[in-house]
Amino acid sequence: MGTLYYGDSRFAIPVEDRTLAHLKVVIINKLRRGESFTFSWAKSRSEGHGRSTVWIAPSLPLHFDFDGSKSPSLNRRWLEELSLVASSGSGLVILDEPAEAPEATA
């Protein structure tokens, strides 16, 4: 289980390592373009259920902390779906990982 630390106060958002690796790519790409957006997630049972949302902006510090030492392979389809939802009015939310699209053959 990894952690996304948000802001100077280092507010901790627990996220599975594989999911966090995908979120990192999407978040960094949006911030690189100077885009701000919301990120929402469901709280765990230990956190009292419910949902939380934070505003992600280039001026706010983020820290991605992974428990595992190896980077997972990335699912291109999942990255595309997360990027689309991040650009929508609802902002970035964690979606279930889809099966990878089969490679096109010529």
Side-chain angles (χ1 to χ4, degrees), residues 16 18-19 49:
E16 292 293 334
R18 180 163 179 76
T19 303
H49 294 293

Side-chain angles (χ1 to χ4, degrees), residues 43-54:
K43 292 183 191 178
S44 69
R45 188 172 287 171
S46 65
E47 296 172 293
H49 294 293
R51 296 172 297 153
S52 289
T53 300
V54 293

Side-chain angles (χ1 to χ4, degrees), residues 76-86 95-98:
R76 180 183 214 81
R77 187 169 166 205
W78 198 13
L79 290 171
E80 291 169 357
E81 289 181 11
L82 290 168
S83 294
L84 283 173
V85 75
L95 305 172
D96 290 336
E97 181 174 4

